[in-house]
Amino acid sequence: MQNPASPARSALSGPNFLDGQFLVAMPGMADERFARSVIYVCAHSADGAMGIIVNKAATDISMPDLLVQLDVAPEADAIRLRERVGHMPVLMGGPVEGRRGFVLHTDDFHIQQSTLIIDDGICLTATVEILRAIASGEGPASAVLALGYAGWQAGQLESEIMANGWLNCPADPALIFNADLDAKYDLALRANGIDPAMLSMTAGRA
């Protein structure tokens, strides 16, 4: 594993960009793949955007099983892994590059030239080294592993927000790492003063 070092902050951040925010799918979301999704925006610029769905589980895979499948840990360690990381969900991060892993984690763990600070307290690392650290108990205090990501071309996300497909709002780090995936959607809305039962299909601003 590479020696930990302080990562660079994303150069994509800007006053009009949504790095480090949540996107919460509204009832007007036209793409069924994103219905009731909560997405953490990892990068947003004039060239497009990338984010991780944080409230949908990947099907038929657990964190211990995945670490064994990737040869990060030997099968003989399966029991130890279940005790150490069995609580950590494997997320369906989005429809793009579904076989690639992305780890959102707290900023107490960095890998030189691989870890990107998204916002205060939250980082993204997409290398196998962080999985090895998690398997050995030397990883970040809190983390979620996502398979795949959500991506938008230039101007696409802005158009979807204008069409009332998404509500963008501040991200709560505790909600990112909350293991109760089914509760995240309603919690994200309520944290912004919105009663999920009162959502409307009509365009507008919350």
Side-chain angles (χ1 to χ4, degrees), residues 42-154:
C42 299
H44 182 212
S45 74
D47 296 324
M50 175 267 185
I52 301 292
I53 300 174
V54 296
N55 68 324
K56 295 191 177 183
T59 57
D60 302 324
I61 189 69
S62 68
M63 187 65 171
D65 291 341
L66 185 62
L67 293 177
V68 171
Q69 288 182 18
L70 295 174
D71 292 325
V72 172
E75 188 171 357
D77 286 350
I79 294 177
R80 178 180 59 83
L81 288 173
R82 281 195 291 272
E83 294 174 350
R84 179 170 290 161
V85 299
H87 65 283
M88 185 183 299
V90 180
L91 305 175
M92 191 287 289
V96 184
E97 294 192 53
R99 293 183 177 274
R100 185 178 177 189
F102 300 84
V103 180
L104 285 172
H105 58 92
T106 46
D107 63 0
D108 54 338
F109 180 90
H110 304 132
I111 296 176
Q112 186 178 15
Q113 298 181 340
S114 296
T115 295
L116 178 69
I117 292 177
I118 304 303
D119 201 7
D120 292 340
I122 304 296
C123 298
L124 176 72
T125 304
T127 61
V128 72
E129 283 83 3
I130 190 171
L131 297 182
R132 293 194 179 105
I134 289 171
S136 66
E138 299 175 354
S142 297
V144 292
L145 170 65
L147 300 178
Y149 66 93
W152 294 264
Q153 297 177 350

Side-chain angles (χ1 to χ4, degrees), residues 16-19 21-24 29 39 41-45 47-51 150-168 205:
N16 299 315
F17 298 138
L18 304 179
D19 308 57
Q21 292 197 29
F22 277 151
L23 298 173
V24 183
M29 169 54 61
I39 296 180
V41 180
C42 299
H44 182 212
S45 74
D47 296 324
M50 175 267 185
W152 294 264
Q153 297 177 350
Q156 183 181 2
L157 177 57
E158 292 84 347
S159 295
E160 291 180 7
I161 292 173
M162 292 295 295
N164 203 42
W166 299 104
L167 166 72
N168 62 284
R205 290 291 169 267

